Amino acid sequence: MSALSNITYPSHSAPADTVLGVLYTLCIVLGVPANLAALYFFSRQRSRTLRNTSSQSLLREHTLLFNTIYLAIVLNDLLITATVIPVAEGFFSSRDPVLFGVPLFCTVWGFLWNILPFYSVFLVFVMSVTRTVILMRPKARVGRTAVVWVMLGYLGFLGVRVLVALFLEDVKYMYTANDQYCWEDR
């Protein structure tokens, strides 16, 4: 038994939960359309780049590379925004949520929540490294296919890491009202 199990939490404040629920809802209401607009923009940008630049152009290669990275970031952010929906719902239901009450949903949510934030940081890292390489060596060709494989490889690594915990270490995700999330219960 961990030392954290002995901590007692104060009772929850209904007004504070309402404020948090409104803030989370605001993030969802702004985040989903903004990410959908960004998804539309970057997918259109890719087709525009293909139409308007020479197939051998270094600018074209760099533009396609960054569009690919930005699309991955936008899709990841959209998924993160979607995972906040049950958290907001829990704040409005006196921390007795409907969605987190379903064990399978809690497991899927916990799986995603153990991948998406880490992947978000990694994608920013990939963008920073590729930009640095291109700024330091403007004539360098950074292979988009290689970058995509690195991004997919890390996503696969994160997925396998969580799946190993789920199946081999017998990790279960359980909802706790104190945390307002589904956390690992070993």
Side-chain angles (χ1 to χ4, degrees):
M1 185 164 241
S2 74
L4 293 177
S5 333
N6 298 327
I7 297 174
T8 57
Y9 294 93
S11 61
H12 304 290
S13 164
D17 278 359
T18 301
V19 169
L20 288 170
V22 167
L23 290 174
Y24 273 69
T25 302
L26 187 61
C27 289
I28 295 163
V29 167
L30 294 174
V32 170
N35 279 304
L36 288 174
L39 183 65
Y40 176 76
F41 173 80
F42 287 115
S43 61
R44 298 272 304 157
Q45 197 71 11
R46 183 181 185 284
S47 63
R48 189 176 305 137
T49 301
L50 289 173
R51 272 195 320 264
N52 297 337
T53 58
S54 156
S55 64
Q56 300 300 316
S57 166
L58 196 57
L59 174 63
R60 175 187 178 175
E61 287 182 33
H62 292 167
T63 303
L64 289 173
L65 170 67
F66 287 116
N67 278 341
T68 302
I69 296 170
Y70 284 129
L71 281 170
I73 290 171
V74 166
L75 287 171
N76 193 65
D77 286 351
L78 192 58
L79 286 171
I80 288 173
T81 305
T83 61
V84 173
I85 293 170
V87 179
E89 182 259 330
F91 282 123
F92 288 122
S93 64
S94 302
R95 297 191 182 221
D96 186 24
V98 175
L99 295 172
F100 279 150
V102 178
L104 178 61
F105 182 85
C106 214
T107 299
V108 170
W109 187 93
F111 175 80
L112 289 173
W113 197 250
N114 276 291
I115 293 174
L116 297 175
F118 294 102
Y119 196 55
S120 182
V121 172
F122 178 75
L123 289 173
V124 172
F125 167 76
V126 168
M127 184 174 54
S128 297
V129 168
T130 54
R131 278 188 170 182
T132 301
V133 168
I134 289 171
L135 287 172
M136 305 253 325
R137 303 202 184 271
K139 303 260 188 219
R141 294 197 182 278
V142 179
R144 184 168 60 108
T145 304
V147 171
V148 168
W149 278 110
V150 167
M151 292 183 335
L152 290 174
Y154 187 70
L155 183 61
F157 164 75
L158 290 173
V160 167
R161 180 182 62 91
V162 176
L163 288 173
V164 164
L166 277 171
F167 294 110
L168 298 180
E169 297 175 14
D170 202 29
V171 167
K172 304 279 187 251
Y173 289 96
M174 307 296 287
Y175 172 75
T176 60
N178 289 325
D179 296 323
Q180 187 51 26
Y181 292 99
C182 291
W183 290 113
E184 293 177 7
D185 183 39
R186 293 179 186 246

